[in-house]
Amino acid sequence: MKIRIIVLSVLISSILPAYAQIDVEKKIDELLSKMTLEEKVGQMNQLNFDALTDDLVGNLKVGNVGSLLNVTDPEMVNQVQRIVMNESRVPIPLIIGRDVIHGFKTIFPIPLGQAASFSPEVVEEGARVAAAEARSTGVTWTFAPMLDISRDARWGRIAESLGEDPYLTGKLGAAMVRGFQGSGDLASRDAIAACVKHFVGYGASEGGRDYNSTNIPPLLMRNVYLPPFHETIKAGAATLMTSFNDNDEIPASGNGYILKNILRDEWDFDGFVVSDWASMGEMIAHGFAKDARQVAEISANAGLDMEMVSGAYIVHLAELVCSGKVPEEAVDTAVRNILRIKFRLGLFENPYVDTSKGSVLYADEHLKSARQAAVESAILLKNENILPLSEKTKIAVIGPMADAAHDQLGTWIFDGDKNYTVTPVGALKDEYKHINYVYEPALGYSRDKNKANFEKAKNAAQSADVAVVFLGEESILSGEAHSLSNINLIGVQSELLQAVKSAGKPVVLVIMAGRPLTIERDLPYADAVLYNFHPGTMGGPAIWDLLFGKANPSGKLPVTFVREVGQIPMYYNHNNTGRPAPDQVSMLDDIEQEAGQTSLGNTSFYLDSGRDPLFPFGYGLSYTQFDYSDLVLSSKTIPVNGSLKVKATVKNTGKTEGTEVVQLYIQDVVGSIVRPVRELKGFQRVTLKAGESKTVEFTLTPDELGFYGRDLIKRVEPGDFNVWIGGDSKASLKGSFVVE
Ligand code: BGC
């Protein structure tokens, strides 16, 4: 009986969504049958909200607007919704968009920082909190997560990315989508629609210069840049945003192959696609369209559903349909996609915000989650027997990032309020009150070049047991249109560190930045380095939790840290050259000048910075140590459609409890196309007490083992595979198996 009831309820729950879906499609049919062509085009138009002008009211009334972005006052949201619901001919609620990127009010670490946690739970929780806060004010749609694979730290938007790896980006991106959208019911009052962006390839902007062209050939596109998008669409992402770049000479907002063939036909995406800000109109500057009319024609025929702000659709699309340049079905399909998401969000049932409800903004549990996220996102890069500090240590707190309430929040924080930020200095005042410290900022902000207070900083260090120096980047140095060609610590910060070190006391360097900086020259002046990508509202207490050992660092690098900017692009999952460099290469500095010497070895490396990065992908230390052993495979051979279990034992060999991110990498040794030297295909966070060990198990399926070959079909190829398990991308515990 019990079993029957369970079977019945499983059946009902699987049929119900399908029914609901049919119901929605019927409702959309009804609406479409009532709408004029102009009203349909209106749904495809998104405007930026500045003020409720007569012009805007007029456009809302005649059905010229499907979405507004940047309305953040709940009363105003209700007012604009009332206009479209009560005063327009066919009432259709607006979808209200906002960039809620790493928090709405409560700011979490920047996405690159969250990626360092290698924790889907942390990322999902961050998005859940952001969604609850945003929806409480009437925002129903965020423009996140950003899934652009970023292999270039000069690019300012690396801050918004989940790093350089497609597998990690896909898994964490899917977690972010789940966090924003809730457990399946977009209509729930704490869910918002996610928007995966930027489709596609934007992170490969040449030279790391924002908005630049990209050159991603089809197989690289299939195997590296597209997979995170596919993963998040499988996780139910409601919407998708095109990108600014042209790839293979086609601007993304006019690329029907990616928007239709891949996204709709291959992936079955049923949400809607929005352009990036004016990216449709910018096809004129790209030299891809001669005027706004042609812009509208290209994008509508390419399958772009909604235009963000450049206004080509609203002016030209109806006429283009009438003159036969765009089929009316293209417009109907776009509007259907948009309405489907509006229905799923429950906007037709209730487009309004309940302003009588108590505020959830900056709720205690949100701040707690943000603190935990900041703890799990910090990466310990170096520690020469100095950390954790005893709470009895007298500390000299130095540097421009020690009390930078705005800057520690990072980029894209439209709604975050710096008055809620707890900086490291703030945390010493509020919570870590018993700590004996002196504070000397020495510089006003990261770019400040005035060295007048360096002597004071040195004296402060002399008067203390340890100097903790907070350096990094102001938030304005990363993010959109904030690329850099030099990524050393900016200004005179390296000199400040040296001045402090000259006091002769141990130095702990804490960095807060929007990107991986080139810090090789700074390492000798620090006994320990804790790297934080801008850590958000609760960064201050989280950092002290780590420095005092209340929490143990567990973050791992989601991007390769290069020695010199000239090594870029350098990423762990590169292809092999025909002449890979050996472990030891002689560099210019290593050898005496010899008359007539013409070569230092004909392999692939830089004469001045060698073969290797400063820190590899996946790297990060703990206050304890982990040992890896006993790699066991469930089989030595598997069929092409088979799966394989890979196990290894991880032991905490140190004296304190700690959490390790156990990583699994594979290599397909010989392929029909060249395969990367290693690829991440699994990761798990494992917490172990001192002395404790655990067996960690991963399953490799055709999904992990396969790749897109020359026919653009994904399959597993027979042959030899290597597999490694360890604590970073240089892991040495190795096994091998054969796919038959
Ligand atoms: C950015 C997008 C963002 C949009 C809306 C654009 O400039 O590229 O990522 O979502 O603006 O603010």
Side-chain angles (χ1 to χ4, degrees):
M1 182 63 183
K2 205 172 167 191
I3 294 181
R4 254 198 247 155
I5 293 175
I6 294 174
V7 172
L8 203 68
S9 58
V10 169
L11 262 177
I12 291 174
S13 61
S14 61
I15 289 168
L16 266 183
Y19 254 136
Q21 192 53 37
I22 294 170
D23 199 35
V24 164
E25 298 306 312
K26 270 200 184 149
K27 287 179 181 161
I28 295 174
D29 286 338
E30 256 170 56
L31 276 172
L32 282 173
S33 71
K34 287 188 204 148
M35 292 164 81
T36 62
L37 177 60
E38 286 71 20
E39 284 163 343
K40 291 177 187 171
V41 171
Q43 284 302 303
M44 299 168 71
N45 185 33
Q46 183 185 45
L47 295 181
N48 183 42
F49 178 86
D50 266 331
L52 193 62
T53 57
D54 291 348
D55 196 32
L56 177 59
V57 172
N59 278 317
L60 293 170
K61 282 187 186 169
V62 297
N64 268 350
V65 188
S67 170
L68 287 174
L69 77 159
N70 299 330
V71 196
T72 48
D73 171 14
E75 300 292 350
M76 183 55 73
V77 170
N78 285 345
Q79 206 171 331
V80 290
Q81 295 288 32
R82 270 196 297 271
I83 298 173
V84 289
M85 296 312 284
N86 302 335
E87 298 182 54
S88 65
R89 209 183 60 86
V90 185
I92 298 178
L94 298 160
I95 177 168
I96 305 288
R98 182 74 165 168
D99 289 279
V100 180
I101 306 297
H102 52 111
F104 181 67
K105 289 286 181 185
T106 306
I107 301 297
F108 281 66
I110 56 171
L112 190 59
Q114 293 185 41
S117 73
F118 277 65
S119 167
E121 291 75 23
V122 159
V123 171
E124 185 170 340
E125 170 66 6
R128 186 193 68 79
V129 166
E133 293 192 354
R135 184 126 192 187
S136 77
T137 69
V139 172
T140 40
W141 180 24
T142 178
F143 305 119
M146 187 184 103
L147 305 172
D148 298 313
I149 296 301
S150 304
R151 294 170 158 180
D152 191 332
R154 293 171 295 182
W155 190 48
R157 300 197 82 168
I158 194 171
E160 287 172 65
S161 82
L162 296 164
E164 75 187 26
D165 183 66
Y167 183 83
L168 183 66
T169 300
K171 293 292 174 212
L172 298 183
M176 206 179 274
V177 167
R178 288 195 299 273
F180 284 131
Q181 299 196 166
S183 48
D185 183 11
L186 262 184
S188 106
R189 289 277 125 176
D190 52 9
I192 57 179
C195 180
V196 292
K197 69 187 189 185
H198 304 85
F199 205 53
V200 57
Y202 182 33
S205 295
E206 271 189 347
R209 202 164 69 248
D210 210 358
Y211 313 123
N212 208 0
S213 297
T214 62
N215 286 300
I216 309 171
L219 286 178
L220 190 62
M221 186 61 103
R222 289 281 179 170
N223 286 314
V224 172
Y225 289 88
L226 287 172
F229 286 92
H230 196 191
E231 187 78 19
T232 47
I233 279 160
K234 284 191 265 176
T239 76
L240 176 143
M241 185 187 287
T242 59
S243 54
F244 287 124
N245 56 300
D246 67 286
N247 186 59
D248 203 11
E249 339 301 352
I250 316 270
S253 295
N255 191 332
Y257 177 67
I258 61 159
L259 294 180
K260 283 183 163 171
N261 301 39
I262 296 183
L263 183 64
R264 303 284 179 186
D265 300 348
E266 290 183 32
W267 295 356
D268 235 1
F269 177 62
D270 75 351
F272 74 86
V273 177
V274 65
S275 76
D276 200 351
W277 182 283
S279 67
M280 277 175 50
E282 288 168 12
M283 289 197 292
I284 299 171
H286 274 285
F288 195 67
K290 65 175 187 304
D291 54 22
R293 183 172 183 272
Q294 199 185 1
V295 161
E297 180 186 342
I298 292 173
S299 292
N301 285 327
L304 205 162
D305 304 314
M306 184 183 281
E307 177 176 18
M308 190 186 283
V309 308
S310 44
Y313 278 165
I314 198 69
V315 177
H316 299 287
L317 191 49
E319 180 271 314
L320 284 163
V321 170
C322 295
S323 59
K325 295 273 186 197
V326 174
E328 183 152 9
E329 302 85 77
V331 171
D332 284 353
T333 304
V335 177
R336 180 178 291 280
N337 293 335
I338 294 165
L339 294 180
R340 192 177 291 128
I341 300 304
K342 291 187 175 182
F343 273 109
R344 286 189 190 154
L345 280 164
L347 289 170
F348 282 91
E349 286 83 49
N350 184 2
Y352 305 108
V353 197
D354 183 354
T355 48
S356 68
K357 273 206 169 160
S359 169
V360 298
L361 308 177
Y362 295 112
D364 285 348
E365 57 128 346
H366 296 177
L367 295 172
K368 205 169 147 209
S369 294
R371 179 171 181 161
Q372 184 59 24
V375 163
E376 293 190 31
S377 300
I379 310 118
L380 182 65
L381 293 178
K382 175 176 179 180
N383 186 16
E384 287 181 349
N385 298 323
I386 181 76
L387 293 177
L389 301 173
S390 150
E391 295 189 28
K392 297 207 177 83
T393 315
K394 179 167 184 202
I395 298 175
V397 176
I398 295 167
M401 295 299 290
D403 199 21
H406 172 73
D407 290 320
Q408 81 176 43
L409 297 180
T411 185
W412 283 114
I413 41 125
F414 282 162
D415 302 285
D417 179 350
K418 70 172 185 184
N419 292 314
Y420 283 81
T421 303
V422 190
T423 66
V425 169
L428 289 173
K429 289 182 188 152
D430 306 339
E431 187 180 330
Y432 281 98
K433 287 183 186 145
H434 52 286
I435 303 297
N436 183 2
Y437 73 97
V438 285
Y439 171 44
E440 176 46 62
L443 294 168
Y445 53 105
S446 68
R447 282 169 298 157
D448 185 359
K449 293 214 175 112
N450 181 355
K451 296 194 253 179
N453 288 324
F454 277 23
E455 204 50 34
K456 275 198 205 157
K458 189 175 162 184
N459 292 341
Q462 240 145 21
S463 74
D465 304 320
V466 168
V468 181
V469 185
F470 292 86
L471 304 179
E473 291 184 308
E474 298 146 67
S475 55
I476 198 187
L477 294 172
S478 60
E480 184 175 348
H482 292 80
S483 295
L484 289 170
S485 61
N486 176 331
I487 53 170
N488 294 338
L489 274 169
I490 205 158
V492 294
Q493 294 183 97
S494 292
E495 290 163 61
L496 171 61
L497 181 69
Q498 290 169 23
V500 173
K501 182 68 184 166
S502 72
K505 297 295 172 73
V507 173
V508 176
L509 171 60
V510 178
I511 294 181
M512 296 191 214
R515 57 163 64 72
L517 295 170
T518 39
I519 54 168
E520 186 173 31
R521 63 187 56 70
D522 304 300
L523 291 181
Y525 302 97
D527 300 273
V529 180
L530 184 72
Y531 207 95
N532 304 263
F533 295 108
H534 290 128
T537 305
M538 298 303 283
I543 287 170
W544 292 120
D545 291 347
L546 290 161
L547 296 183
F548 290 125
K550 290 199 165 157
N552 195 342
S554 60
K556 299 278 187 171
L557 296 180
V559 278
T560 301
F561 269 47
V562 294
R563 294 176 189 279
E564 290 291 342
V565 73
Q567 287 185 318
I568 292 173
M570 184 173 266
Y571 44 90
Y572 86 95
N573 49 354
H574 60 88
N575 292 345
N576 228 351
T577 68
R579 295 187 177 188
D583 286 346
Q584 293 295 325
V585 289
S586 355
M587 293 195 280
L588 284 180
D589 285 352
D590 300 338
I591 55 161
E592 301 282 316
Q593 191 188 348
E594 276 181 46
Q597 177 147 14
T598 56
S599 159
L600 297 176
N602 293 341
T603 61
S604 182
F605 68 98
Y606 293 101
L607 291 176
D608 54 353
S609 61
R611 180 196 69 170
D612 295 322
L614 183 58
F615 297 111
F617 175 87
Y619 177 84
L621 302 170
S622 158
Y623 296 151
T624 188
Q625 294 81 40
F626 299 97
D627 181 59
Y628 286 83
S629 63
D630 305 321
L631 188 126
V632 180
L633 307 180
S634 57
S635 173
K636 270 301 205 183
T637 56
I638 55 163
V640 277
N641 54 357
S643 294
L644 178 83
K645 289 203 178 355
V646 188
K647 290 196 264 189
T649 305
V650 192
K651 180 169 187 189
N652 179 345
T653 57
K655 294 196 181 68
T656 45
E657 178 174 312
T659 299
E660 169 74 326
V661 178
V662 180
Q663 301 159 46
L664 176 142
Y665 295 87
I666 64 161
Q667 179 195 26
D668 184 344
V669 183
V670 177
S672 61
I673 57 168
V674 172
R675 304 310 302 132
V677 292
R678 282 186 189 203
E679 295 172 274
L680 180 75
K681 292 295 175 180
F683 57 89
Q684 283 179 41
R685 288 175 65 89
V686 179
T687 301
L688 296 172
K689 298 211 166 57
E692 193 187 351
S693 13
K694 193 174 168 187
T695 302
V696 180
E697 183 177 294
F698 295 92
T699 304
L700 290 171
T701 70
D703 210 27
E704 283 83 30
L705 299 174
F707 61 87
Y708 288 86
R710 267 179 282 193
D711 54 5
L712 300 186
I713 293 179
K714 185 171 176 177
R715 60 168 74 82
V716 181
E717 289 187 357
D720 292 339
F721 281 76
N722 290 323
V723 55
W724 295 264
I725 290 186
D728 61 43
S729 57
K730 293 276 174 217
S732 57
L733 184 66
K734 182 176 172 190
S736 55
F737 60 95
V738 179
V739 172
E740 291 184 332

